[in-house]
Amino acid sequence: MPQKKKISEHIKDKPDIGLSFDDVLIIPQYSDISSRKTVNVKTKFSRRININIPIVSANMDTVTEAAMAIAMARYGGIGVIHRFNSIDEQAEEVRKVKRAENVIIDDPITISKKTKLSDAVAFIKEKRISGLLVVDKNKKLEGIVTWRDVRFTQHRNVTVEKVMTPFKKLITASPDIKVEKAIAIFDTYKIEKLPLIDKDRILHGLITAADFLKINKYKNAAKDKNGRLVVAAAVGIKDGMERAQKLVETGVDALVVDIAHGHHKAVIDLVKKLKKVYTNVDIVAGNVATYQGAYDLIKAGADAIKVGIGPGAVCSTRVIAGTGVPQLTAILNSSKPAHQHNIPLIADGGIRHAGDVSKAIAAGASTIMSGSLFAGTKESPGEYFVEEDAAYKVYRGLASRDASFDRGLKEHNTDRAERAPEGVSARIVYKGDLNKVLFPLIDGFQSGMSYVGAKNIGEFWGKATFIRTSKAGHKEGLPRSLNS
Ligand code: XMP
């Protein structure tokens, strides 16, 4: 992990001034980086979860469900599934992510050899698969029947047994086969399906050639040790333990205790409880904006800290409650205990441009979380709607009147809405595919690193220094018309 973050003199001398992204620039330094493409942006989402780009999609109901989390992980980041649904609905979103690129199908669809061929054909068509494994009642593998075996067969009154490829002609492997070995088997035998069986021929899983093609398509994907995409999910205080249990059973990689004011006894207590019960899942906690907030959550056992009180595009906490810390200062201050204890920081909210990603990470964060940048993409929840000849999607704060109204209806069957909502709701222009937003962010961030000569994020933390900028200095840096 990190070298200690160096903070430029200008900022160290004035710790009480709250600075945000537009108040600073990263000072350029000597660099020997030949191309920004060579800069390594691998990072940690949390203590044990490695990801390949420092980008996280926010746990908001207009940002991250399975489609967003799948796309994020395929491109190398991670999504946090929101918690504003039932426990079963949230677990289902996690399950979809974990199955999206699963090279091993744990529970393949099977059939008995006594099934009539016409029923098997109907089953193959209904499930839209290319073939079925044939097993006995103890799940002992007896053969495979594929679409190719049956597509021209006129006599569909016979049983599957008559047309299947019997066990003795099958290529199989053991359930703990490594990915490289499986690829070699597909290559040697030119087969489409590789059943995984134990020494008693009992079926434990299936690998298909088609799934390997998916892996090759997304070379930068962030995966767990079993080759499945990584995913996190949010939990709250009220049903945190119950939600956590179902999410962990479903295979979630990290739980995010996400509370607007994370420097709170209830959050500390929940983090401690979760850490005690779930030793194989990382526990992320937030949101905080101070040294002490980050320190107390780290002491409670948190495996990553989420930083940001009020910087977000649809946040009104600072206006309504009058609290918060400008985001750059919040990251700088929280990064001190985080770097001392090797705990990653997630800079949550307020990112508008790629340059803000560079500044957030230069300040000590390991990743940035965004809602507004990813809302309105094809992968965000909900359909787009057309108004005044343009397409839009909805993006709303979790504490907005709209969101709390919907939650009131769902949870209590009342139309109760917050009287002082700390968030707003907006329509956002439809952006199309996520990669149109995501790839420029990464390119810009790599460019930022190359300007200080940093080959990886650890070096960036060690080398980057900031200069405060005047209003005129900030204005000077904005693209402007050449005709005025
Ligand atoms: P961006 O700027 O990326 O911020 O859209 C996303 C983050 O905003 C936070 N969030 C809220 N903050 N009231 C708030 O004060 C809200 O209603 C609200 N909803 C979301 C959250 O941390 C998210 O990741």
mmCIF file of all heavy atoms in Angstrom, residues 57-60 63 258 260 287 306-318 348-352 369-374 395-400 403 421-424, ligand 1:
data_model
loop_
_atom_site.group_PDB
_atom_site.id
_atom_site.type_symbol
_atom_site.label_atom_id
_atom_site.label_comp_id
_atom_site.label_asym_id
_atom_site.label_seq_id
_atom_site.Cartn_x
_atom_site.Cartn_y
_atom_site.Cartn_z
ATOM 1 N N SER A 57 -19.433 2.607 -8.746
ATOM 2 C CA SER A 57 -20.728 3.255 -8.976
ATOM 3 C C SER A 57 -21.519 3.270 -7.670
ATOM 4 O O SER A 57 -21.486 2.324 -6.881
ATOM 5 C CB SER A 57 -21.504 2.563 -10.097
ATOM 6 O OG SER A 57 -21.860 1.267 -9.719
ATOM 7 N N ALA A 58 -22.221 4.402 -7.460
ATOM 8 C CA ALA A 58 -22.849 4.684 -6.163
ATOM 9 C C ALA A 58 -24.031 3.771 -5.878
ATOM 10 O O ALA A 58 -24.774 3.378 -6.785
ATOM 11 C CB ALA A 58 -23.308 6.138 -6.135
ATOM 12 N N ASN A 59 -24.223 3.495 -4.575
ATOM 13 C CA ASN A 59 -25.355 2.675 -4.132
ATOM 14 C C ASN A 59 -26.614 3.531 -4.072
ATOM 15 O O ASN A 59 -27.143 3.809 -3.004
ATOM 16 C CB ASN A 59 -25.053 2.055 -2.764
ATOM 17 C CG ASN A 59 -24.459 3.046 -1.801
ATOM 18 O OD1 ASN A 59 -23.309 3.460 -1.947
ATOM 19 N ND2 ASN A 59 -25.245 3.453 -0.830
ATOM 20 N N MET A 60 -27.075 3.933 -5.239
ATOM 21 C CA MET A 60 -28.284 4.755 -5.317
ATOM 22 C C MET A 60 -29.288 4.045 -6.221
ATOM 23 O O MET A 60 -28.893 3.352 -7.161
ATOM 24 C CB MET A 60 -27.929 6.138 -5.886
ATOM 25 C CG MET A 60 -26.965 6.886 -4.980
ATOM 26 S SD MET A 60 -26.353 8.410 -5.724
ATOM 27 C CE MET A 60 -27.790 9.484 -5.604
ATOM 28 N N VAL A 63 -28.892 4.510 -9.848
ATOM 29 C CA VAL A 63 -27.534 4.288 -10.386
ATOM 30 C C VAL A 63 -27.162 2.800 -10.469
ATOM 31 O O VAL A 63 -26.815 2.299 -11.544
ATOM 32 C CB VAL A 63 -26.463 5.052 -9.550
ATOM 33 C CG1 VAL A 63 -25.067 4.820 -10.109
ATOM 34 C CG2 VAL A 63 -26.769 6.544 -9.523
ATOM 35 N N ASP A 258 -23.795 2.030 4.773
ATOM 36 C CA ASP A 258 -23.846 3.348 4.150
ATOM 37 C C ASP A 258 -24.888 4.211 4.831
ATOM 38 O O ASP A 258 -26.085 4.036 4.638
ATOM 39 C CB ASP A 258 -24.198 3.181 2.663
ATOM 40 C CG ASP A 258 -24.241 4.526 1.992
ATOM 41 O OD1 ASP A 258 -23.203 5.197 1.979
ATOM 42 O OD2 ASP A 258 -25.316 4.920 1.506
ATOM 43 N N ALA A 260 -25.801 8.367 5.988
ATOM 44 C CA ALA A 260 -25.443 9.747 5.652
ATOM 45 C C ALA A 260 -24.418 10.305 6.654
ATOM 46 O O ALA A 260 -23.451 10.954 6.264
ATOM 47 C CB ALA A 260 -26.700 10.612 5.631
ATOM 48 N N ASN A 287 -20.782 7.480 5.701
ATOM 49 C CA ASN A 287 -19.802 8.410 5.173
ATOM 50 C C ASN A 287 -19.265 9.308 6.279
ATOM 51 O O ASN A 287 -20.004 9.688 7.184
ATOM 52 C CB ASN A 287 -20.433 9.277 4.089
ATOM 53 C CG ASN A 287 -20.474 8.577 2.748
ATOM 54 O OD1 ASN A 287 -20.337 7.380 2.653
ATOM 55 N ND2 ASN A 287 -20.673 9.342 1.695
ATOM 56 N N LYS A 306 -15.710 5.289 3.390
ATOM 57 C CA LYS A 306 -16.321 6.115 2.353
ATOM 58 C C LYS A 306 -16.372 7.556 2.884
ATOM 59 O O LYS A 306 -16.901 7.811 3.966
ATOM 60 C CB LYS A 306 -17.715 5.570 2.054
ATOM 61 C CG LYS A 306 -18.196 5.871 0.663
ATOM 62 C CD LYS A 306 -19.061 4.734 0.110
ATOM 63 C CE LYS A 306 -20.482 4.727 0.602
ATOM 64 N NZ LYS A 306 -21.300 5.804 0.039
ATOM 65 N N VAL A 307 -15.829 8.477 2.058
ATOM 66 C CA VAL A 307 -15.677 9.868 2.497
ATOM 67 C C VAL A 307 -16.547 10.792 1.660
ATOM 68 O O VAL A 307 -16.491 10.741 0.423
ATOM 69 C CB VAL A 307 -14.200 10.308 2.318
ATOM 70 C CG1 VAL A 307 -14.026 11.763 2.711
ATOM 71 C CG2 VAL A 307 -13.287 9.438 3.156
ATOM 72 N N GLY A 308 -17.303 11.641 2.312
ATOM 73 C CA GLY A 308 -18.081 12.642 1.579
ATOM 74 C C GLY A 308 -19.356 12.987 2.320
ATOM 75 O O GLY A 308 -20.254 12.160 2.432
ATOM 76 N N ILE A 309 -19.411 14.203 2.850
ATOM 77 C CA ILE A 309 -20.652 14.687 3.470
ATOM 78 C C ILE A 309 -21.078 15.916 2.678
ATOM 79 O O ILE A 309 -20.508 16.991 2.813
ATOM 80 C CB ILE A 309 -20.467 15.065 4.968
ATOM 81 C CG1 ILE A 309 -19.893 13.888 5.783
ATOM 82 C CG2 ILE A 309 -21.785 15.574 5.559
ATOM 83 C CD1 ILE A 309 -20.848 12.797 6.178
ATOM 84 N N GLY A 310 -22.030 15.692 1.794
ATOM 85 C CA GLY A 310 -22.638 16.814 1.074
ATOM 86 C C GLY A 310 -22.014 17.304 -0.221
ATOM 87 O O GLY A 310 -22.448 18.331 -0.728
ATOM 88 N N PRO A 311 -21.001 16.601 -0.827
ATOM 89 C CA PRO A 311 -20.444 17.152 -2.069
ATOM 90 C C PRO A 311 -21.226 16.751 -3.327
ATOM 91 O O PRO A 311 -20.962 17.266 -4.410
ATOM 92 C CB PRO A 311 -19.043 16.524 -2.128
ATOM 93 C CG PRO A 311 -19.217 15.195 -1.475
ATOM 94 C CD PRO A 311 -20.263 15.394 -0.406
ATOM 95 N N GLY A 312 -22.158 15.829 -3.175
ATOM 96 C CA GLY A 312 -22.787 15.200 -4.343
ATOM 97 C C GLY A 312 -23.682 16.130 -5.148
ATOM 98 O O GLY A 312 -24.168 17.151 -4.640
ATOM 99 N N ALA A 313 -23.899 15.727 -6.408
ATOM 100 C CA ALA A 313 -24.656 16.546 -7.353
ATOM 101 C C ALA A 313 -26.115 16.737 -6.926
ATOM 102 O O ALA A 313 -26.714 17.762 -7.257
ATOM 103 C CB ALA A 313 -24.605 15.904 -8.733
ATOM 104 N N VAL A 314 -26.695 15.761 -6.229
ATOM 105 C CA VAL A 314 -28.094 15.917 -5.805
ATOM 106 C C VAL A 314 -28.213 15.978 -4.279
ATOM 107 O O VAL A 314 -29.238 15.643 -3.710
ATOM 108 C CB VAL A 314 -28.988 14.780 -6.373
ATOM 109 C CG1 VAL A 314 -29.285 14.993 -7.830
ATOM 110 C CG2 VAL A 314 -28.355 13.399 -6.129
ATOM 111 N N CYS A 315 -27.125 16.424 -3.619
ATOM 112 C CA CYS A 315 -27.125 16.531 -2.157
ATOM 113 C C CYS A 315 -27.548 17.934 -1.752
ATOM 114 O O CYS A 315 -27.086 18.903 -2.357
ATOM 115 C CB CYS A 315 -25.731 16.326 -1.586
ATOM 116 S SG CYS A 315 -25.026 14.747 -1.988
ATOM 117 N N SER A 316 -28.352 18.042 -0.708
ATOM 118 C CA SER A 316 -28.612 19.382 -0.167
ATOM 119 C C SER A 316 -28.326 19.435 1.330
ATOM 120 O O SER A 316 -28.759 20.362 2.010
ATOM 121 C CB SER A 316 -30.040 19.826 -0.493
ATOM 122 O OG SER A 316 -30.955 18.826 -0.143
ATOM 123 N N THR A 317 -27.572 18.446 1.831
ATOM 124 C CA THR A 317 -27.230 18.409 3.264
ATOM 125 C C THR A 317 -26.586 19.712 3.732
ATOM 126 O O THR A 317 -26.915 20.239 4.796
ATOM 127 C CB THR A 317 -26.252 17.244 3.527
ATOM 128 O OG1 THR A 317 -26.928 16.049 3.167
ATOM 129 C CG2 THR A 317 -25.822 17.167 4.969
ATOM 130 N N ARG A 318 -25.671 20.246 2.926
ATOM 131 C CA ARG A 318 -24.941 21.449 3.387
ATOM 132 C C ARG A 318 -25.877 22.649 3.480
ATOM 133 O O ARG A 318 -25.713 23.513 4.338
ATOM 134 C CB ARG A 318 -23.766 21.731 2.450
ATOM 135 C CG ARG A 318 -22.714 20.635 2.541
ATOM 136 C CD ARG A 318 -21.487 20.986 1.747
ATOM 137 N NE ARG A 318 -20.596 19.841 1.665
ATOM 138 C CZ ARG A 318 -19.573 19.754 0.829
ATOM 139 N NH1 ARG A 318 -19.306 20.747 -0.002
ATOM 140 N NH2 ARG A 318 -18.806 18.690 0.822
ATOM 141 N N ASP A 348 -16.341 9.767 -2.175
ATOM 142 C CA ASP A 348 -17.723 9.619 -2.641
ATOM 143 C C ASP A 348 -18.401 10.961 -2.884
ATOM 144 O O ASP A 348 -18.698 11.688 -1.944
ATOM 145 C CB ASP A 348 -18.494 8.805 -1.586
ATOM 146 C CG ASP A 348 -19.969 8.700 -1.922
ATOM 147 O OD1 ASP A 348 -20.337 8.920 -3.090
ATOM 148 O OD2 ASP A 348 -20.756 8.390 -1.005
ATOM 149 N N GLY A 349 -18.660 11.249 -4.165
ATOM 150 C CA GLY A 349 -19.477 12.404 -4.506
ATOM 151 C C GLY A 349 -18.682 13.606 -4.974
ATOM 152 O O GLY A 349 -17.511 13.785 -4.622
ATOM 153 N N GLY A 350 -19.329 14.399 -5.823
ATOM 154 C CA GLY A 350 -18.735 15.666 -6.253
ATOM 155 C C GLY A 350 -17.796 15.566 -7.433
ATOM 156 O O GLY A 350 -17.210 16.569 -7.841
ATOM 157 N N ILE A 351 -17.630 14.373 -8.006
ATOM 158 C CA ILE A 351 -16.732 14.225 -9.160
ATOM 159 C C ILE A 351 -17.499 14.666 -10.420
ATOM 160 O O ILE A 351 -18.548 14.103 -10.739
ATOM 161 C CB ILE A 351 -16.284 12.751 -9.330
ATOM 162 C CG1 ILE A 351 -15.576 12.236 -8.073
ATOM 163 C CG2 ILE A 351 -15.434 12.569 -10.591
ATOM 164 C CD1 ILE A 351 -14.196 12.778 -7.837
ATOM 165 N N ARG A 352 -16.972 15.672 -11.111
ATOM 166 C CA ARG A 352 -17.644 16.138 -12.339
ATOM 167 C C ARG A 352 -16.809 15.891 -13.578
ATOM 168 O O ARG A 352 -17.332 15.802 -14.679
ATOM 169 C CB ARG A 352 -17.978 17.637 -12.239
ATOM 170 C CG ARG A 352 -18.995 17.989 -11.151
ATOM 171 C CD ARG A 352 -18.737 19.352 -10.599
ATOM 172 N NE ARG A 352 -17.355 19.434 -10.176
ATOM 173 C CZ ARG A 352 -16.642 20.541 -10.107
ATOM 174 N NH1 ARG A 352 -17.183 21.684 -10.435
ATOM 175 N NH2 ARG A 352 -15.377 20.522 -9.718
ATOM 176 N N MET A 369 -16.145 7.286 -5.954
ATOM 177 C CA MET A 369 -17.507 6.785 -6.195
ATOM 178 C C MET A 369 -18.294 7.910 -6.842
ATOM 179 O O MET A 369 -18.190 9.059 -6.420
ATOM 180 C CB MET A 369 -18.158 6.374 -4.874
ATOM 181 C CG MET A 369 -19.626 6.023 -5.012
ATOM 182 S SD MET A 369 -20.394 5.523 -3.455
ATOM 183 C CE MET A 369 -20.149 3.775 -3.462
ATOM 184 N N SER A 370 -19.062 7.556 -7.879
ATOM 185 C CA SER A 370 -19.898 8.585 -8.493
ATOM 186 C C SER A 370 -21.301 8.076 -8.729
ATOM 187 O O SER A 370 -21.521 6.897 -9.017
ATOM 188 C CB SER A 370 -19.292 9.065 -9.816
ATOM 189 O OG SER A 370 -20.128 10.070 -10.365
ATOM 190 N N GLY A 371 -22.248 9.006 -8.591
ATOM 191 C CA GLY A 371 -23.633 8.729 -8.951
ATOM 192 C C GLY A 371 -23.976 9.472 -10.223
ATOM 193 O O GLY A 371 -24.329 8.872 -11.247
ATOM 194 N N SER A 372 -23.795 10.804 -10.209
ATOM 195 C CA SER A 372 -24.280 11.626 -11.317
ATOM 196 C C SER A 372 -23.613 11.288 -12.650
ATOM 197 O O SER A 372 -24.246 11.373 -13.697
ATOM 198 C CB SER A 372 -24.056 13.110 -11.004
ATOM 199 O OG SER A 372 -22.706 13.334 -10.659
ATOM 200 N N LEU A 373 -22.333 10.878 -12.632
ATOM 201 C CA LEU A 373 -21.676 10.575 -13.908
ATOM 202 C C LEU A 373 -22.271 9.335 -14.560
ATOM 203 O O LEU A 373 -22.317 9.225 -15.778
ATOM 204 C CB LEU A 373 -20.166 10.359 -13.709
ATOM 205 C CG LEU A 373 -19.346 11.588 -13.359
ATOM 206 C CD1 LEU A 373 -17.901 11.200 -13.123
ATOM 207 C CD2 LEU A 373 -19.441 12.642 -14.464
ATOM 208 N N PHE A 374 -22.729 8.390 -13.748
ATOM 209 C CA PHE A 374 -23.196 7.111 -14.300
ATOM 210 C C PHE A 374 -24.719 7.039 -14.410
ATOM 211 O O PHE A 374 -25.256 6.168 -15.084
ATOM 212 C CB PHE A 374 -22.660 5.954 -13.452
ATOM 213 C CG PHE A 374 -21.165 6.021 -13.265
ATOM 214 C CD1 PHE A 374 -20.583 5.803 -12.026
ATOM 215 C CD2 PHE A 374 -20.339 6.343 -14.337
ATOM 216 C CE1 PHE A 374 -19.204 5.897 -11.861
ATOM 217 C CE2 PHE A 374 -18.963 6.443 -14.182
ATOM 218 C CZ PHE A 374 -18.391 6.218 -12.942
ATOM 219 N N TYR A 395 -32.426 11.043 -12.015
ATOM 220 C CA TYR A 395 -31.353 10.877 -11.026
ATOM 221 C C TYR A 395 -31.816 11.593 -9.770
ATOM 222 O O TYR A 395 -32.172 12.774 -9.815
ATOM 223 C CB TYR A 395 -30.047 11.500 -11.534
ATOM 224 C CG TYR A 395 -28.905 11.376 -10.539
ATOM 225 C CD1 TYR A 395 -28.640 10.166 -9.905
ATOM 226 C CD2 TYR A 395 -28.102 12.472 -10.221
ATOM 227 C CE1 TYR A 395 -27.603 10.046 -8.990
ATOM 228 C CE2 TYR A 395 -27.049 12.356 -9.310
ATOM 229 C CZ TYR A 395 -26.811 11.137 -8.702
ATOM 230 O OH TYR A 395 -25.789 11.011 -7.794
ATOM 231 N N ARG A 396 -31.844 10.874 -8.656
ATOM 232 C CA ARG A 396 -32.352 11.533 -7.452
ATOM 233 C C ARG A 396 -31.531 11.183 -6.228
ATOM 234 O O ARG A 396 -30.989 10.077 -6.109
ATOM 235 C CB ARG A 396 -33.814 11.152 -7.227
ATOM 236 C CG ARG A 396 -34.004 9.681 -6.921
ATOM 237 C CD ARG A 396 -35.474 9.339 -6.862
ATOM 238 N NE ARG A 396 -35.689 7.997 -6.337
ATOM 239 C CZ ARG A 396 -36.865 7.437 -6.221
ATOM 240 N NH1 ARG A 396 -37.958 8.077 -6.609
ATOM 241 N NH2 ARG A 396 -36.984 6.221 -5.716
ATOM 242 N N GLY A 397 -31.453 12.133 -5.306
ATOM 243 C CA GLY A 397 -30.765 11.925 -4.041
ATOM 244 C C GLY A 397 -31.537 10.911 -3.216
ATOM 245 O O GLY A 397 -32.769 10.847 -3.293
ATOM 246 N N LEU A 398 -30.802 10.142 -2.421
ATOM 247 C CA LEU A 398 -31.457 9.124 -1.601
ATOM 248 C C LEU A 398 -32.340 9.766 -0.548
ATOM 249 O O LEU A 398 -33.310 9.176 -0.089
ATOM 250 C CB LEU A 398 -30.396 8.247 -0.929
ATOM 251 C CG LEU A 398 -29.554 7.434 -1.915
ATOM 252 C CD1 LEU A 398 -28.416 6.737 -1.197
ATOM 253 C CD2 LEU A 398 -30.426 6.427 -2.645
ATOM 254 N N ALA A 399 -31.975 10.989 -0.140
ATOM 255 C CA ALA A 399 -32.773 11.674 0.875
ATOM 256 C C ALA A 399 -33.682 12.724 0.235
ATOM 257 O O ALA A 399 -34.141 13.640 0.895
ATOM 258 C CB ALA A 399 -31.848 12.322 1.894
ATOM 259 N N SER A 400 -33.927 12.599 -1.064
ATOM 260 C CA SER A 400 -34.812 13.565 -1.732
ATOM 261 C C SER A 400 -36.255 13.288 -1.346
ATOM 262 O O SER A 400 -36.598 12.205 -0.886
ATOM 263 C CB SER A 400 -34.643 13.473 -3.247
ATOM 264 O OG SER A 400 -35.077 12.202 -3.685
ATOM 265 N N ALA A 403 -37.602 10.253 -3.319
ATOM 266 C CA ALA A 403 -37.131 8.936 -2.878
ATOM 267 C C ALA A 403 -37.779 8.565 -1.550
ATOM 268 O O ALA A 403 -38.204 7.427 -1.352
ATOM 269 C CB ALA A 403 -35.608 8.936 -2.743
ATOM 270 N N PRO A 421 -35.974 17.602 3.129
ATOM 271 C CA PRO A 421 -35.176 16.626 2.367
ATOM 272 C C PRO A 421 -33.746 17.112 2.167
ATOM 273 O O PRO A 421 -33.530 18.288 1.882
ATOM 274 C CB PRO A 421 -35.909 16.521 1.030
ATOM 275 C CG PRO A 421 -36.725 17.749 0.933
ATOM 276 C CD PRO A 421 -37.048 18.185 2.320
ATOM 277 N N GLU A 422 -32.796 16.194 2.338
ATOM 278 C CA GLU A 422 -31.385 16.571 2.170
ATOM 279 C C GLU A 422 -30.867 16.120 0.806
ATOM 280 O O GLU A 422 -29.706 15.787 0.635
ATOM 281 C CB GLU A 422 -30.555 16.009 3.327
ATOM 282 C CG GLU A 422 -30.918 16.687 4.634
ATOM 283 C CD GLU A 422 -30.046 16.300 5.811
ATOM 284 O OE1 GLU A 422 -28.965 15.736 5.595
ATOM 285 O OE2 GLU A 422 -30.475 16.582 6.939
ATOM 286 N N GLY A 423 -31.775 16.057 -0.154
ATOM 287 C CA GLY A 423 -31.377 15.694 -1.504
ATOM 288 C C GLY A 423 -32.429 16.183 -2.473
ATOM 289 O O GLY A 423 -33.538 16.538 -2.078
ATOM 290 N N VAL A 424 -32.068 16.244 -3.740
ATOM 291 C CA VAL A 424 -33.024 16.696 -4.757
ATOM 292 C C VAL A 424 -33.138 15.639 -5.848
ATOM 293 O O VAL A 424 -32.355 14.696 -5.912
ATOM 294 C CB VAL A 424 -32.593 18.055 -5.369
ATOM 295 C CG1 VAL A 424 -32.539 19.136 -4.304
ATOM 296 C CG2 VAL A 424 -31.244 17.922 -6.076
HETATM 297 P P1 XMP B 1 -22.436 12.508 -7.184
HETATM 298 O O1 XMP B 1 -21.863 13.888 -7.095
HETATM 299 O O2 XMP B 1 -21.514 11.541 -7.778
HETATM 300 O O3 XMP B 1 -22.654 12.042 -5.643
HETATM 301 O O4 XMP B 1 -23.767 12.493 -7.824
HETATM 302 C C1 XMP B 1 -23.112 10.768 -5.324
HETATM 303 C C2 XMP B 1 -23.174 10.639 -3.816
HETATM 304 O O5 XMP B 1 -24.106 11.545 -3.254
HETATM 305 C C3 XMP B 1 -24.517 11.061 -1.968
HETATM 306 N N1 XMP B 1 -25.973 11.183 -1.891
HETATM 307 C C4 XMP B 1 -26.627 12.104 -1.153
HETATM 308 N N2 XMP B 1 -26.159 13.075 -0.338
HETATM 309 N N3 XMP B 1 -28.389 13.780 0.069
HETATM 310 C C5 XMP B 1 -27.049 13.915 0.288
HETATM 311 O O6 XMP B 1 -26.640 14.824 1.027
HETATM 312 C C6 XMP B 1 -28.918 12.820 -0.736
HETATM 313 O O7 XMP B 1 -30.133 12.744 -0.916
HETATM 314 C C7 XMP B 1 -27.996 11.936 -1.374
HETATM 315 N N4 XMP B 1 -28.161 10.889 -2.225
HETATM 316 C C8 XMP B 1 -26.896 10.466 -2.517
HETATM 317 C C9 XMP B 1 -24.054 9.629 -1.885
HETATM 318 O O8 XMP B 1 -22.947 9.588 -1.021
HETATM 319 C C10 XMP B 1 -23.703 9.301 -3.318
HETATM 320 O O9 XMP B 1 -22.784 8.259 -3.453
#
